Amino acid sequence: MAPSSVKRAEIEWEKGCEWRRKGHLEQAAVHLQTAARLAPKNSQYRVVLAHVHAKIGNRDEALIQARVAFDLDRTSMLACRVLAEMLLKASRSKEALQVLDSLHEDTPRSAEWHLARTEALMSLAHFSDAVREGSAALALAGNDESNRCLALVRMGSSFQNLRAYAEAALCYRMLLDSHPESLLAAVHAVHASSCACDWPSLMDDVARMNRCVSLLQQRTGPIRQEVNPFGLITVTDDPEFQRWVAEVSFSYKSHGIRPDVLKTSAPGASLRASDGKVRIGFLGSDFHQHATMILIVEMMEFLSKERLDIFIYSGGPEDASGLRARAKAAATQWCEIGQMSSEEIAIRIRDDGVAVLLEMKGYTLMNRLDVVAYRAAPLQVSWLGYPGTTGAQCMDYVIGDPWVTPLDAQAGYTECIAQMPHCYQPNDSGRSVPALPGRAACGLPEEAFVFASFNMPYKIVPEMFEAWCRILLATPGSVLWLLVRETETRERLACAAAAHGVDRDRLIFAPMLAPEVHRARLGHADLMLDCFPCSGHTTASDALWAGVPVLTLYGRSFASRVAASLLSTLELPELVCAEIDTYMQRAVQLAQDKVALDALRQRLAKARVESPLFDGRRYARDFERLLLRMIERHEAGLPPAPLAAELS
């Protein structure tokens, strides 16, 4: 390269950097592009140019420049990391991993390099490898507190996914020790202890979380932290507290997203496509063999094809299951979004002309909740996947019912409550009723009265477990059938039962089985004992479908009232309790009165056929009517407002 070109490239580089410092990124890009053209083998120029294009929003060009930068210098840690991080943001984790692994072998690996590998491995569900990379990052972090915190968070999450809950909780506690205002560490330590049924640690973790919240609420100004509110629904039924944490979380998720990037229909505009139909979008990652899909598949099949077009945006795996095939058959259009960035998903939804976007994950695993921050559709609705508020002001409605979301609970939601006329939860009337296996095959005594709770262990809190033990003590010869896979957690529960005077042999632990096989064994339960403050959702409807009564205790939050909604729809109010003493008394009464229990089972069997609860076709009609009410308000120029149930 001629000296004059070198000098001109340096001048253009300096001009570009100056414009960048001033925040004028478009001008910076022009000069940096010229510098890169004049010095085509300068990797540094390309790295900075990639950064600028990324800031502007030119993601494709940013990736091109980052890739060129790394190709020019495979020894450059900076170029390697920049390219990998851009690929990770674009949900291209396999490519990111390949880039990280192609860094020249003589280049020392930094904490940041290991952290990037940790993120890529986590997104690919390689959690054991992610723990190893996180440990390496932690060892190299030194005095860099940012890297140390990130390593602990990613290790904690990876341990959680490996069901190594004690190790996960330890990571979060280490972070909380040095950062007492870390809401992420505080909430996630609570959830890890809940998953392990490590109740002494849980009590301490809850106390530390409360101190953390107290410190944060003394602050002035907005609070923005990465945290998953899901861990709270099993330890508190305070909807206002859950809303506060959700708002903190969504503020973090949506930071830097400009909703004006997409132009969607303003109130007053028609939401009908040219053919007069309304386009409804379902955004989620559970369109395969999954509990959510079991619930919704019939409803989706019977949505009106004359009035609606169904667009499914699926971020989950292709499992070749019958449920996935049924979902695809019900869709007008199907879009795989697993490798798309959130902005790309939002743009696709906007370009598809979706009028109502139903976000189906909330804060559960593999969610793409930040898509709604782009205002991807004129109406955005939280439905089914998360039993609480998202804390997102850009989410217009949350679909509930008079039980889970009474209108006087509006203060606990950033969304407007929209009530289905019966239960908010759909069900499939074609769900199978497999033949009942023998008791011995299920590890159950032949003559014992079987209390059961097949909720996940993180839903079991010490107060409810004590109530279950008191029920067992009052009903000699009964057993408690639980679904717990981890040996350590089983041992903790057995020890807790013994501490309450219950022989550990009266706890029967069921193995995890495929859904069909699991439903087959449910009929051996005489009475399901629901959890609190997070009640059963699909687990409760599975039991009721199998003809097993569910006894529930309800509170103030959405999650604490789901089973109550199911039972109310079935017209079995005597199984819904407002006080724990009533809950215990009713369980004992039913165990001691076979005639009353048999009569209850007969009513349940009749209601299963006649009630709206297990009628997916009826649900589809009611659901469609509720969505049309939202649309009519929008087309009339009215803002979202709470929508009370209209009985069908």
Side-chain angles (χ1 to χ4, degrees), residues 257-492:
I257 293 176
R258 292 167 40 222
D260 60 328
V261 168
L262 307 183
K263 304 297 182 184
T264 55
S265 300
S270 173
L271 297 183
R272 321 283 164 152
S274 58
D275 59 2
K277 293 184 182 181
V278 175
R279 295 182 175 182
I280 308 298
F282 292 85
L283 173 64
S285 58
D286 299 334
F287 302 106
H288 54 276
Q289 186 68 47
H290 187 277
T292 298
M293 199 65 228
I294 291 170
L295 296 177
I296 69 173
V297 65
E298 183 180 50
M299 180 278 292
M300 295 184 75
E301 290 170 334
F302 283 94
L303 288 172
S304 170
K305 302 303 186 290
E306 289 72 37
R307 289 185 290 272
L308 305 177
D309 279 329
I310 307 304
F311 287 68
I312 293 181
Y313 302 93
S314 172
E318 171 58 78
D319 64 351
S321 65
L323 283 173
R324 189 170 177 87
R326 288 174 69 184
K328 285 187 173 182
T332 308
Q333 285 197 30
W334 181 283
C335 178
E336 294 289 350
I337 61 170
Q339 298 300 308
M340 296 170 66
S341 71
S342 294
E343 184 175 342
E344 288 168 341
I345 297 168
I347 291 171
R348 172 64 185 266
I349 292 167
R350 186 273 316 271
D351 290 347
D352 284 343
V354 167
V356 183
L357 178 65
L358 293 144
E359 197 287 319
M360 297 177 60
K361 292 298 293 179
Y363 290 101
T364 58
L365 189 65
M366 294 179 68
N367 75 76
R368 302 301 292 270
L369 184 57
D370 55 340
V371 167
V372 302
Y374 291 94
R375 179 50 76 173
L379 289 172
Q380 302 188 133
V381 182
S382 174
W383 176 59
L384 192 63
Y386 185 71
T389 185
T390 61
Q393 298 291 342
C394 53
M395 192 80 83
D396 301 299
Y397 293 97
V398 56
I399 293 179
D401 61 48
W403 256 104
V404 294
T405 52
L407 294 184
D408 60 10
Q410 181 61 66
Y413 297 84
T414 52
E415 311 87 348
C416 292
I417 289 172
Q419 295 177 335
M420 289 287 289
H422 305 291
C423 183
Y424 85 102
Q425 184 191 92
N427 271 281
D428 183 358
S429 64
R431 200 182 325 190
S432 65
V433 185
L436 192 66
R439 274 201 171 199
C442 298
L444 295 169
E446 290 295 338
E447 303 300 327
F449 186 94
V450 179
F451 295 106
S453 180
F454 282 159
N455 289 299
M456 290 293 99
Y458 63 78
K459 291 188 180 183
I460 305 173
V461 297
E463 294 83 1
M464 287 304 290
F465 190 77
E466 180 181 357
W468 295 349
C469 288
R470 291 173 67 180
I471 291 167
L472 289 172
L473 290 171
T475 53
S478 63
V479 296
L480 178 59
W481 200 14
L482 299 169
L483 188 63
V484 180
R485 75 172 85 185
E486 290 77 28
T487 302
E488 298 85 351
T489 307
R490 291 181 174 186
E491 181 60 22
R492 289 190 188 98

Side-chain angles (χ1 to χ4, degrees), residues 72-90:
L72 285 169
D73 186 2
R74 290 298 176 98
T75 69
S76 171
M77 174 63 75
L78 178 61
C80 176
R81 280 179 40 223
V82 167
L83 177 56
E85 287 165 7
M86 288 183 178
L87 288 167
L88 287 168
K89 285 180 181 177

